[in-house]
Amino acid sequence: MKIFLDTAEIEEIRTVARWGVLDGVTTNPSLFAKVGGSYDDVLKQICEITRGPVSAEVVAEDVEGMLREGRQFARLASNIVVKVPMSEQGLEAIARFAQEGIKTNCTLIFSSNQGLLAARAGASLLSPFVGRLDDISEDGMNVVRELVAMIETHDLKSEVLAASIRHPRHVTQAALAGAHIATVPLKILRQMIHHPLTDKGIVQFRKDWEAVEKQPS
Ligand code: E4P
C-alpha cells in the first residue's frame, strides 16, 4: 500500500519525503485554508518535492466550472490529479477529464456504490472517507473493503485511496483490506513511527553504551 501525505504544508511534505515514504500528496480546500497564499503556488511547490500524484480539489459545483478549475490545475505539473467531489456534476466532469487524459480523484465517497460509479466514469483514484463514517457510528473501513473487492472482481482500473484517516490502526486496517493507497496526516505518520518500547529501548542502549565507554580500560 502506498502512503500519501494528507496536507498542504510544504515543510510537512519535505519532512516525509526525507523519510523515504512519500508516494504522493492529497490536499483539499480545508487543508489549503490552513496554509493560505496562492493554491497554484502551493501545488507547484508540492509537485517539485514529489513526483507522485498530487491531488488538487475543485470548488466549483457545476460541470463547466469543475472543468475550468481542473484544466488549470493540470497545467501546473504533470503529476497533478484533479480531485472532484461525488455528485451528478462530478461524475460528468470525471468522464470529461478522462476523455482529455486528465487523471481524477473522486472525493467525498461514503458508499461503495458511489465508488463504483466513479470508477465507471473513469476516476483514477477513489477516496472513501473512513473517519467521517466512523464519526457517525458507521464502519468506514467496510467501504474500503467493498470497493477493493469490486475492483478486483470486475478488473476495474481505479485505485482505492483510504482517506479521512484518524489513527494508526486505520492505516493497518486499510492495508489489510487491500487499499492501494492511504492518505495520512503527519501526526498519524509520527504515531506510526514511535512506540514506547522503541523509544525506551533507544535510551537504554545509549545509557548502557555510555556506561561501558566510561569504564577505564
Ligand atoms: C483527503 O483526500 C481527504 O480530503 C481527507 O483525508 C479528509 O480528511 P478529514 O475527514 O480528516 O477532513
Side-chain angles (χ1 to χ4, degrees), residues 6 26-28 30-31 55 57 83 105 107 127 129 131-132 135 161-166 183-185:
D6 200 18
T26 51
T27 68
N28 65 33
S30 307
L31 292 171
S55 290
E57 185 160 344
K83 210 171 175 194
N105 171 355
T107 191
S127 291
F129 275 36
R132 291 194 198 187
D135 290 346
L161 186 164
S164 187
I165 295 288
R166 294 275 195 268
T183 188
V184 186

Side-chain angles (χ1 to χ4, degrees), residues 163-182:
S164 187
I165 295 288
R166 294 275 195 268
H167 48 72
R169 195 67 200 150
H170 271 159
V171 182
T172 311
Q173 289 165 342
L176 292 173
H180 305 87
I181 306 157

Side-chain angles (χ1 to χ4, degrees), residues 54-101:
V54 174
S55 290
E57 185 160 344
V58 299
V59 289
E61 292 175 19
D62 62 300
V63 176
E64 290 310 318
M66 289 177 182
L67 291 172
R68 195 168 48 250
E69 290 177 19
R71 288 176 188 138
Q72 163 69 20
F73 292 146
R75 277 194 285 272
L76 297 174
S78 57
N79 50 333
I80 286 280
V81 174
V82 179
K83 210 171 175 194
V84 180
M86 165 52 65
S87 65
E88 293 181 21
Q89 294 76 10
L91 283 177
E92 187 174 334
I94 286 167
R96 300 263 300 272
F97 282 130
Q99 285 163 7
E100 296 177 20

Side-chain angles (χ1 to χ4, degrees), residues 150-172:
M150 282 178 177
I151 281 171
E152 286 173 1
T153 304
H154 299 288
D155 198 24
L156 297 166
K157 302 297 169 226
S158 314
E159 290 185 301
V160 177
L161 186 164
S164 187
I165 295 288
R166 294 275 195 268
H167 48 72
R169 195 67 200 150
H170 271 159
V171 182
T172 311

Side-chain angles (χ1 to χ4, degrees), residues 21 37 40 47 62 100 113-114 128 134-135 163 216:
V21 296
D40 284 5
C47 290
D62 62 300
E100 296 177 20
N113 278 341
Q114 289 180 319
D134 286 2
D135 290 346

